[in-house]
Amino acid sequence: MDNANPEITAASSTAGISIAAVERDTGLGKDTLRVWERRYGFPQPLRDACGERLYPAEQVEHLRLIKRLIDQGQRPGKLLRKPLAALAEQLAGSPPTIGADDTADWVVALLKNRDVDRLRTEFAQRLARDGLERFVIETVPALNRRIGDGWMRGEIEIFEEHLYTELIQNQLRASIYALGSRGSRPHVLLTTVKDEEHLLGLLMVEALLAANGAWCISLGAQTPVTDIIGAVRCTTTDIVALSFSGAYPWRKARDTLLELRAALPETTGLWAGGAALTGRRRVIPGIRIIDNLHAIEPALADWHAMRRATQNSGHCTEL
Amino acid sequence: MDNANPEITAASSTAGISIAAVERDTGLGKDTLRVWERRYGFPQPLRDACGERLYPAEQVEHLRLIKRLIDQGQRPGKLLRKPLAALAEQLAGSPPTIGADDTADWVVALLKNRDVDRLRTEFAQRLARDGLERFVIETVPALNRRIGDGWMRGEIEIFEEHLYTELIQNQLRASIYALGSRGSRPHVLLTTVKDEEHLLGLLMVEALLAANGAWCISLGAQTPVTDIIGAVRCTTTDIVALSFSGAYPWRKARDTLLELRAALPETTGLWAGGAALTGRRRVIPGIRIIDNLHAIEPALADWHAMRRATQNSGHCTEL
DNA sequence: AATCTTATTTGTCCAAGACAAAGCAGTTGA
DNA sequence: TCAACTGCTTTGTCTTGGACAAATAAGATT
């Protein structure tokens, strides 16, 4: 008669779920949920026998919708005052196709068909046909745009985006691994800083660097600044390369870069790229902003030129 | 004279880190940290100009030690009243070097020498010599223990651990990619849930599964629960496999698993493993706990047996 | 058009109190 | 001997309302 596990009953009955569960499901913090309730009157959860919040499924759904719109850049204040219907409408209609590029539609079609094997094959074939450089500079960005657009329009599920990212990353990793350049200069240390988890951009850079003879060490994502400093101090790193996605606040990126610049030896190069930095013409002293993928090759060439110059002035008088 | 950027001063000084950062680093909840301070007088963080907690690095280290002992089954009340020295002794004493295995010392030596190329070669050679299965089941765990142990003893820098993880992951990815089993059953969907970012365990599982003929789709790390549900709903997934590292709170893992179990179709298997779950005697209904890597092969065998049985009862009477 | 101010929005933190869920210890009954 | 029930203690999470820093928008300035 009695159910031994209260959680199961709670989940199966229509009463609602706890605030911790809502945090898990929506990604909105407990504090945020409470303060919204106080300020805007939504959500308005039921209460269980001992006064704890119980969120009905429909409110959770509503919250999830709001979260999605916030991620698109909308302000919470506006969204929380609107009725559910207006939100749904807004999500459907908003972006009228930014990069109208239907040459990448095949990737969406294959994703919708869950044709993972075919996706892998397609990626591999295009890579082989166009070469790594063109694949990274042209194909992957086009696909990224198409996927991002599809997600905004609700055409693509989140997990499909996950899957796409995973497959592309694997393809890039395999290529980099196959290149296996050893010991050649420059030695580049790649990573993203704390709170920045997007690896794809970093992998694209790594692929281009490796294709041009640089020797890369990737520390993966979210390396704290102090650890980066520590890593450089005890390795033979020539250049530190960081990636900042569009989600990363520009000011924070700049501060981080300046801090790093101050802490690193002057001989160590510091390159930074990613959507958070491109488009800003602001030059940060001592830091090379990589505006786009085409900028990597010249940057490498510059490094080699500078190195030759330094060596010459050091060892010979002139050559 | 005045520093324009408060972040720089804060970060470069040894002041401490915020409560949110401690939660991330230790896996202990904000509320828990505050209530410990109130009840036991530890931790006792500094305060910044506006009264917010600032945890010095040594206290965070202390907390991490406590967390580790709690995960071994000790009671918080006892641990928090003991001085640091007693704890360290306890940890050192209880498992008298768990895997007293100095055969893994080479990895530490190479890491200290920053000999990345040699590390890659060693990994690749051992993998080729022992086979993927033995490499994943024996070698990698031994290395992990050695690294974790070295880190606890301050022998290894954090970035060296980062680097090690990255290199091993690449090796595993390359192997999985090379296997490329297509379409065969079961179809396993692998991922970690939100707030769980440790991928290595997941990759090890994926390698073993792939080596035994399963067809894996990895969604990478940090997939929200609802997205997992969505992914299963529209794919031909037979089994969902999740990994929870030791830093992940056990209670949260259990709740997540129960929620998933309730939401997934009964025919879909749900496997879970990782340090957060092993060692717990508690059985969660409907969920297969993978206590260790050896448990994967039998689990796969069971799945095949069950499938045969179901098919037989469905199509024929007996065989 | 890019930067610097100022105003508003918005998320996170704090405090102490409360209490349920989990664990422990001792008792009872099969 | 082991399992189940009891009461007792420990322990983590939830509650409230206030406060304020960080993020963003809007306006001013070069």
Side-chain angles (χ1 to χ4, degrees), chain B residues 30-75:
Chain B
K30 294 192 246 277
D31 282 318
T32 305
L33 289 166
R34 284 192 276 255
V35 90
W36 280 3
E37 185 180 339
R38 204 196 313 167
R39 285 191 189 138
Y40 312 110
F42 182 87
Q44 203 141 37
L46 311 173
R47 299 297 177 128
D48 68 1
C50 40
E52 304 195 345
R53 291 173 173 78
L54 276 185
Y55 293 84
E58 49 170 20
Q59 291 194 28
V60 178
E61 208 50 50
H62 192 157
L63 284 169
R64 201 176 280 133
L65 187 57
I66 289 176
K67 175 63 162 37
R68 200 155 160 179
L69 286 165
I70 288 177
D71 288 345
Q72 286 183 15
Q74 313 251 358
R75 303 308 306 272

Side-chain angles (χ1 to χ4, degrees), chain B residues 235-257:
Chain B
T235 54
T236 58
T237 300
D238 299 307
I239 296 163
V240 174
L242 298 179
S243 164
F244 297 88
S245 79
Y248 201 87
W250 179 77
R251 173 195 292 275
K252 228 168 150 186
R254 194 203 51 172
D255 289 355
T256 306
L257 286 169

Side-chain angles (χ1 to χ4, degrees), chain A residues 24-25 64 114 117 159 162-163 166 171 173 177 194 215 217-220 222 231 234-235 255 259, chain B residues 5 11 24 114 117 159 162-163 166 171 173 177 197 215 217-220 226 231 234-235 255-256 259:
Chain A
R24 246 209 327 273
D25 287 7
R64 198 173 285 132
R114 329 269 169 238
D117 289 331
F159 92 89
H162 258 259
L163 182 56
E166 192 71 14
Q171 187 65 62
R173 285 198 181 97
Y177 190 84
K194 199 143 189 147
W215 185 79
I217 295 184
S218 173
L219 291 185
Q222 314 220 45
C234 36
T235 54
D255 291 351
E259 187 187 349
Chain B
N5 190 326
R24 247 210 322 274
R114 330 269 167 237
D117 288 330
F159 93 90
H162 257 261
L163 181 56
E166 192 71 14
Q171 189 64 63
R173 285 201 181 95
Y177 190 84
E197 52 186 22
W215 186 79
I217 295 184
S218 173
L219 292 185
T226 49
C234 37
T235 54
D255 289 355
T256 306
E259 192 187 343

